Amino acid sequence: MSMYNDKVIEHFSNPHNAGDMENPDGEGVYGSPVCGDMMKIMIRVSEDDVITDAKFKTFGCGSAIASSSVATDMVIGKTVEEALAVTNQNVLDELGGLPAIKIHCSVLADHAIKSAIFDYAQKHGKTYKGLEGFDPNADEQDDHHGCDMEIHLPEKLSDL
Ligand code: FES
């Protein structure tokens, strides 16, 4: 029996919002301190602060791809503050759970989205309560579940 539920497999097989975005309003890249996999999230934000589109590129495992797919789905249509309130646990719940050793993969999506919003806020001179204390360069302190993949960082972030 697969260690992944049907929803995870479906989002991995047919990910939503995968690809590039031209001239995004904000973009964030996050590399997992656990396995070295990387994710880039790009967002488009309307004048009334609603995320109208989000795209991702993930150099990572199937769980990271499924997490990116649901996480981008979850933030599209939300205001920036609402999107900042989306937690890693919300992403996991939406996926119907991940095996324990794969929990860290979902953290990539959560952190990369917050990094993209941080970039948007900086470029547009905005401040958000949900960004207080957020450091896009800080390693997420998760519980360092083991990883079954080798570290394979891309040579440049632009390769993402
Ligand atoms: Fe690295 Fe899943 S993101 S193993």
Side-chain angles (χ1 to χ4, degrees), residues 32 35-37 60-61 63-64 102 104-105 108 147-149:
S32 169
C35 63
D37 289 345
C61 71
S63 298
K102 290 292 182 179
H104 75 269
C105 313
L108 262 71
C147 178
D148 59 0
M149 295 187 71

Side-chain angles (χ1 to χ4, degrees), residues 3-9 11 66-67 70 74 88-99 103:
M3 64 198 282
Y4 299 104
N5 70 46
D6 290 348
K7 189 158 185 184
V8 173
I9 291 170
H11 274 277
S67 299
V70 295
M74 286 169 81
N88 180 43
Q89 186 61 47
N90 297 145
V91 175
L92 281 169
D93 291 346
E94 187 66 23
L95 273 175
L98 283 171
I103 302 288

Side-chain angles (χ1 to χ4, degrees), residues 12-35:
F12 169 59
S13 306
N14 299 295
H16 306 176
N17 314 310
D20 257 324
M21 181 186 287
E22 266 189 52
N23 303 319
D25 294 316
E27 68 178 32
V29 177
Y30 183 60
S32 169
V34 181
C35 63

Side-chain angles (χ1 to χ4, degrees), residues 9-159:
I9 291 170
E10 172 56 26
H11 274 277
F12 169 59
S13 306
N14 299 295
H16 306 176
N17 314 310
D20 257 324
M21 181 186 287
E22 266 189 52
N23 303 319
D25 294 316
E27 68 178 32
V29 177
Y30 183 60
S32 169
V34 181
C35 63
D37 289 345
M38 303 198 82
M39 184 183 297
K40 177 157 111 176
I41 299 260
M42 295 143 278
I43 54 170
R44 177 95 53 230
V45 185
S46 70
E47 280 182 8
D48 51 353
D49 244 21
V50 173
I51 296 176
T52 56
D53 197 11
K55 294 271 187 239
F56 77 86
K57 290 181 91 174
T58 293
F59 194 88
C61 71
S63 298
I65 289 167
S67 299
S68 326
S69 177
V70 295
T72 46
D73 271 355
M74 286 169 81
V75 298
I76 292 172
K78 283 188 167 57
T79 65
V80 170
E81 273 303 0
E82 287 168 348
L84 284 168
V86 173
T87 64
N88 180 43
Q89 186 61 47
N90 297 145
V91 175
L92 281 169
D93 291 346
E94 187 66 23
L95 273 175
L98 283 171
I101 59 162
K102 290 292 182 179
I103 302 288
H104 75 269
C105 313
S106 63
V107 174
L108 262 71
D110 178 48
H111 199 104
I113 285 173
K114 287 190 172 65
S115 295
I117 294 174
F118 185 89
D119 181 50
Y120 165 74
Q122 282 213 318
K123 285 178 176 156
H124 295 81
K126 301 202 172 206
T127 51
Y128 297 101
K129 214 166 175 305
L131 278 180
E132 278 170 16
F134 177 75
D135 177 357
N137 299 314
D139 283 350
E140 196 77 30
Q141 291 302 307
D142 73 1
D143 51 3
H144 285 234
H145 290 291
C147 178
D148 59 0
M149 295 187 71
E150 292 177 11
I151 292 179
H152 43 76
L153 282 165
E155 298 203 340
K156 314 191 281 287
L157 290 184
S158 57
D159 290 343

